[in-house]
Amino acid sequence: MSKELVMTPKNEEKLTQIFQVLFSLDELVLTNEMNAQSIQGWDSLNHIKLMLQIESAFNISFSNDDIAQNLNVGDLKVLIDKKLS
Amino acid sequence: MSNLDLLTQQIVHAYPIHEKFITQSVASLDTSELNDAELYIKHCLTHGLTLNQLAAAYVKIIQDVNAEQFYFMRNGTYRYSTFSEVANQVYFDPSYMRVYMYALALSGFFWPNHREIYRFFNSILPRSSKGHYLEIGPGHGFFLKEALLKADYTQYTGLDISPTSLDITRSLLQDTTIGVPSHNWDLIECDFLKSNNLHEHYDAIIMGEVLEHVEDPAAFLNRIYALAHSESFIYITTCLNSPAVDHIYLYETPLQLEKQIQSAGLTIVNSLYVAYTGKSLDESVQEKLPINVAFQLSKS
């Protein structure tokens, strides 16, 4: 996935809050390289919960292919921006 | 490095999010299960598959299950509810069915819930009983293989609606390295509810992961009741809140399932509920998370 990051600070904050609550990591600061290996608790089920919460928070809809991808945080931001544009 | 390690590596490479889960799961296999896993992978490799294809099959099914889990959590129902919606894209599609069966067989080693069900079966399977043994829906053939190796029934029959499933089961049972006796088993392609070439009664009736695939599971339980006698060993498994591409009947609570079994006249002798990893049974029900179930039943 290309990495043309244009996510607004407001959306960045919204995404960070989703991660902080879902993974119970109050102090988490997201970096684009973070992924399922580096964030404790980012397993298959929590990945689905994460995508559902992002759908709801950003009022977007993910496809099966979106769900199946191995995404890091940077990829996720690009995907969200793409859905919002 | 063992074939199991190589396969695990390929799966993790293709689907990194699965790394912790699969690593922990493989680490918890006992020696006998590790040997079984190596034997099964070797069987696949000597029957036209590569490790790469096995890994791809496994990842494909994981991703399909995740897509259905996503749908389920968003909508609260399984995507499909009728047999006709799923039959042609799964049971009667040889290409998909092969991928599905090989992946499901591997899940017996890679998923703790499936392994617990397998261990439970092994722990209660009668070792010295005689007579006729029937398995409805042998799928990848693992339970039938296990019974043939460990029990002492006179004749074993497996029936399935999917020709691909029967081919895969036959291939496993005919593999001499697996060590199954060659003379006392047969496989029949048919619909269990419509089959008219069965014995009047069976001394063992096994039905693993079928109820969630059919529109009218009560009819299957009623037919099992009719084919059992008071001493028959009856073993069934199913799942609650467990979406998959071909799951069409949704059980949401243990009570719902147990009532259906009792309505068929069957009594629960032994039960195993495997809650979602890290959750209690109550939490899994409340949160609508996958639960696996196995029962030993009796007709009494």
Side-chain angles (χ1 to χ4, degrees), chain B residues 6-16 18 22 55 58-59 110:
Chain B
L6 290 169
L7 178 60
T8 305
Q9 265 188 4
Q10 292 207 15
I11 289 169
V12 169
H13 179 72
Y15 194 59
H18 208 47
I22 202 167
Y58 180 78
V59 171
F110 292 150

Side-chain angles (χ1 to χ4, degrees), chain B residues 16-37:
Chain B
I17 202 169
H18 208 47
E19 182 174 12
K20 190 182 291 179
F21 178 88
I22 202 167
T23 305
Q24 285 178 348
S25 190
V26 169
S28 69
L29 293 172
D30 66 28
T31 309
S32 163
E33 290 163 344
L34 285 168
N35 288 339
D36 279 353

Side-chain angles (χ1 to χ4, degrees), chain B residues 52-125:
Chain B
N52 196 33
Q53 287 171 322
L54 272 180
Y58 180 78
V59 171
K60 162 73 178 156
I61 296 305
I62 290 270
Q63 290 177 330
D64 284 357
V65 168
N66 285 346
E68 296 312 307
Q69 183 70 43
F70 188 71
Y71 180 94
F72 181 63
M73 291 176 86
R74 192 155 57 180
N75 299 286
T77 61
Y78 292 163
R79 191 188 303 268
Y80 305 112
S81 59
T82 63
F83 182 77
S84 61
E85 287 175 289
V86 298
N88 287 335
Q89 63 180 350
V90 181
Y91 312 123
F92 303 122
D93 176 346
S95 169
Y96 190 85
M97 194 65 183
R98 289 182 76 78
V99 165
Y100 195 14
M101 288 301 101
Y102 287 120
L104 268 187
L106 290 172
S107 77
F109 304 108
F110 292 150
W111 298 4
N113 53 342
H114 283 187
R115 192 166 60 255
E116 284 305 310
I117 296 290
Y118 185 68
R119 285 173 177 169
F120 184 63
F121 176 71
N122 259 311
S123 72
I124 61 174
L125 175 69

Side-chain angles (χ1 to χ4, degrees), chain B residues 283-296:
Chain B
E283 287 170 336
S284 300
V285 172
Q286 286 283 325
E287 296 177 36
K288 297 191 79 167
L289 295 173
I291 298 165
N292 286 84
V293 194
F295 292 121
Q296 180 188 349

Side-chain angles (χ1 to χ4, degrees), chain B residues 36-47:
Chain B
D36 279 353
E38 287 296 338
L39 208 55
Y40 181 67
I41 296 168
K42 190 178 171 193
H43 163 77
C44 294
L45 298 180
T46 54
H47 286 76

Side-chain angles (χ1 to χ4, degrees), chain B residues 78 211 217-218 221 238-241 248-264 268 273 285 288 293 295:
Chain B
Y78 292 163
L211 293 176
L221 294 166
T238 185
C239 49
L240 284 59
N241 301 320
I248 60 174
Y249 192 93
L250 173 60
Y251 292 106
E252 294 179 280
T253 67
L255 187 63
Q256 178 192 3
L257 172 60
E258 290 176 11
K259 273 188 172 174
Q260 197 175 66
I261 288 168
Q262 286 153 3
S263 295
I268 297 170
Y273 281 95
V285 172
K288 297 191 79 167
V293 194
F295 292 121

